[in-house]
Amino acid sequence: MFPGRHAYANLRARRALLLTLLVCVLAAAAAITLIDRSDAARQPRGVAAHGSISAAAPLTVGVGSTSGGPAFADGAVGLSIEAYELATPDLSAGRGSLVALMRLLGPGVLRIGGNSLDTSWWTSTNEPPPTWATSVVTPTDLVRLDGLLLATHWRVILGVDLGHLDPTRAADEAGFATRILGSGLLAFEVGNEPDLYMYPTSAAALRPATYNPEGYLQELAEYAAAMRTQAPALVLYGPDVSQPAWLPTIAVYNEMSFDVITEHFYPTTYSVASSACVATPVPSAADLISRRVRGQESAQLRVLIAVGKFAHRETRMSETNDTGSCDVPGGPATSPVFASALWALDWALRSASFGVTGINFHGYLGRCGASTFAPVCAATLRDEIRGDVSPRPEYYGLLAARQLEGGHFIGVKIRGATNLHDVTAYATLHNNGTITVAVENFSTTAAVAVALKVPGYTRAAEETLTAPSIHATQNVTFGGSAVTATGRWRPRPVPILTLNGRFRLRIAPASAWVVTLQR
């Protein structure tokens, strides 16, 4: 049971800690802004400076050769899907296209949660579900999920319903999941975005307006105690909040809560008119890859990392995608287009370079809609019925980021222009001495000439992430190859000639290069 605040002998000290952390978090959030070249030395390893670029002003990208930055582990870039899909055949080893596309990205981590988690009903005895339930999950569904995990070599973060309080039911699910999934089970999450429980969802709010982090933590402690009776080695990730306001309290009391601290983030949002929210404009593709969005992302990461350090815990961005809305998911101007690939590549690398240990891109495995964000989904109704999914442009960004996994971030410096906000660069050093560098040009009009300088490295090959425009929904390629629905990807790395110890690149507008260097 989570003890009440008055049970602590050092309550005053804890409040002081909470106030101190809150000040630090607010300061970190306020610090977000535009990074000029003078800030480059203060950035996490692998994060480039930013500013305006001209094709006539070549840049020098200098890459260090010693490790020391955060690890970018294999499988750090993962997927997230809605809990209701656990009760469907979607998560099955028989879905050949899904298996192939997951294998190409993985082995990785699949997170099962989303808004539907708190209307998902678990039963191991087949009793009738309550009227609020939108899906029914049984041990059979976990067996099917286990087959998918075995076929792809992925692991899962499995959510349980907190919206409708029932620790005993959660414990039953935890016991079955532990026995069925075995080593494929990475962790549990309890509830989805509890910081929004006070607001109306479908018919009513899940909690009263007075609901706060302390109340949530008490409920969490009840769940954890119950779940440990069936799963003694319980690993909990959370709190899975949608905004950072709750995180300082979570950090102060964290010895009773999470093994890994998680957050959700959607860098652009919009809303159509409804009773729940005020209408706002739909973000454009250009908005998604703007300097402003990258600034907001960096601020969010500073807060999350600060909280993790305070609590002595790793952090994870357990649910994210390009655009969120309180009405419908995704945005037609961002989600289905190539801008989402450029954004996803940078966001995955930015998160990892700050020290976030994993990131899960949220989506749906059903039919692709005009306003649906999803790295993979079914292109047509027939494909949906057959369970066939295809990669969308965003998938290519995740695939490009995957190439840097398995190493540690190393320093990157960009020189040669006054303003650099159109270019980002990241690099990782692998155990075998290979260095992988990702350089992105976010300008939609100007190419960038780059001289890549990596002392001691004499061989390099590039794979380009490109499409006809940031608005393109088709003809996306990475490494000169498209990815088929069967997971076939045949990249053709192109050798790069060295001149005076530097590798020369020309990065077209709105494209990215991933360069692999060897001694």
Side-chain angles (χ1 to χ4, degrees):
M1 176 72 85
F2 179 82
R5 285 180 292 176
H6 298 292
Y8 289 109
N10 58 346
L11 174 60
R12 184 173 300 174
R14 285 184 175 274
R15 283 177 172 168
L17 284 173
L18 181 57
L19 179 60
T20 300
L21 181 59
L22 182 58
V23 170
C24 292
V25 166
L26 292 177
I32 191 144
T33 57
L34 308 174
I35 303 169
D36 60 29
R37 203 168 75 176
S38 65
D39 292 323
R42 297 192 293 273
Q43 298 309 306
R45 289 180 179 270
V47 179
H50 307 286
S52 174
I53 298 294
S54 164
L59 302 178
T60 298
V61 176
V63 178
S65 58
T66 57
S67 178
F72 190 29
D74 287 319
V77 178
L79 300 174
S80 171
I81 54 122
E82 287 290 324
Y84 72 78
E85 294 195 89
L86 182 57
T88 73
D90 290 346
L91 301 178
S92 167
R95 304 302 204 195
S97 56
L98 177 62
V99 169
L101 292 172
M102 288 177 66
R103 282 178 176 172
L104 194 56
L105 277 187
V109 174
L110 175 67
R111 178 251 182 185
I112 300 177
N115 288 336
S116 61
L117 176 62
D118 289 307
T119 57
S120 176
W121 167 262
W122 162 266
T123 177
S124 59
T125 58
N126 295 318
E127 73 264 45
T131 56
W132 52 258
T134 58
S135 63
V136 177
V137 179
T138 70
T140 300
D141 299 312
L142 295 180
V143 171
R144 183 171 56 246
L145 172 63
D146 185 54
L148 176 66
L149 299 177
L150 290 172
T152 58
H153 307 291
W154 280 48
R155 302 179 74 188
V156 68
I157 301 171
L158 182 65
V160 298
D161 170 28
L162 176 68
H164 301 85
L165 281 170
D166 195 341
T168 302
R169 189 170 299 277
D172 188 58
E173 183 174 2
F176 274 93
T178 300
R179 293 189 294 273
I180 293 171
L181 301 177
S183 61
L185 177 63
L186 177 61
F188 289 97
E189 289 179 339
V190 177
N192 178 76
E193 299 180 357
D195 54 324
L196 301 183
Y197 279 4
M198 306 81 77
Y199 304 103
T201 51
S202 54
L206 294 171
R207 295 292 187 277
T210 55
Y211 193 62
N212 58 23
E214 287 86 351
Y216 161 71
L217 287 172
Q218 183 162 347
E219 294 174 352
L220 176 72
E222 295 171 359
Y223 265 66
M227 292 169 71
R228 284 193 174 96
T229 64
Q230 302 299 316
L234 180 74
V235 176
L236 282 181
Y237 284 13
D240 254 24
V241 290
S242 65
Q243 47 199 342
W246 279 26
L247 290 178
T249 303
I250 299 297
V252 168
Y253 295 112
N254 190 69
E255 70 271 18
M256 301 163 194
S257 45
F258 302 109
D259 297 279
V260 173
I261 292 178
T262 63
E263 187 185 4
H264 299 173
F265 184 59
Y266 291 79
T268 64
T269 59
Y270 78 100
S271 173
V272 298
S274 75
S275 59
C277 42
V278 178
T280 57
V282 177
S284 68
D287 290 333
L288 181 61
I289 58 173
S290 68
R291 184 184 187 189
R292 175 185 58 81
V293 161
R294 292 194 292 280
Q296 291 173 343
E297 291 168 348
S298 294
Q300 198 82 5
L301 291 170
R302 290 189 185 99
V303 171
L304 182 57
I305 292 300
V307 167
K309 287 182 177 178
F310 188 92
H312 305 290
R313 293 293 189 272
E314 291 183 350
T315 56
R316 187 178 194 95
M317 194 64 67
S318 60
E319 181 183 316
T320 190
N321 214 302
D322 50 29
T323 303
S325 167
C326 63
D327 304 293
V328 291
T334 58
S335 296
V337 301
F338 181 63
S340 66
L342 296 174
W343 166 78
L345 171 59
D346 181 78
W347 176 224
L349 298 179
R350 182 180 301 274
S351 299
S353 69
F354 268 75
V356 172
T357 58
I359 183 168
N360 296 86
F361 288 80
H362 197 58
Y364 308 82
L365 300 178
R367 184 161 48 139
C368 308
S371 62
T372 301
F373 54 64
V376 298
C377 53
T380 66
L381 177 59
R382 181 182 180 186
D383 288 337
E384 182 179 26
I385 294 171
R386 295 168 55 184
D388 291 336
V389 294
S390 302
R392 298 183 107 194
E394 184 178 88
Y395 180 92
Y396 287 81
L398 308 187
L399 181 61
R402 169 74 177 88
Q403 310 312 305
L404 278 77
E405 288 183 353
H408 284 75
F409 283 93
I410 55 178
V412 175
K413 292 184 179 179
I414 300 179
R415 295 189 177 93
T418 302
N419 300 309
L420 304 170
H421 70 264
D422 284 338
V423 170
T424 62
Y426 307 85
T428 56
L429 173 63
H430 304 264
N431 290 336
N432 63 2
T434 298
I435 289 178
T436 310
V437 183
V439 185
E440 287 195 68
N441 177 15
F442 290 103
S443 171
T444 59
T445 58
V448 178
V450 171
L452 182 60
K453 183 179 180 181
V454 189
Y457 285 76
T458 59
R459 293 177 295 158
E462 60 84 7
E463 294 169 317
T464 305
L465 176 64
T466 187
S469 76
I470 62 171
H471 307 286
T473 58
Q474 298 179 344
N475 300 316
V476 179
T477 60
F478 175 48
S481 173
V483 179
T484 69
T486 59
R488 179 183 174 88
W489 176 54
R490 296 293 182 266
R492 297 182 292 276
V494 178
I496 306 174
L497 298 178
T498 180
L499 179 63
N500 298 325
R502 299 183 179 187
F503 300 98
R504 303 288 178 169
L505 317 176
R506 184 183 181 279
I507 305 179
S511 65
W513 285 38
V514 174
V515 181
T516 302
L517 300 111
Q518 296 177 326
R519 295 186 184 277

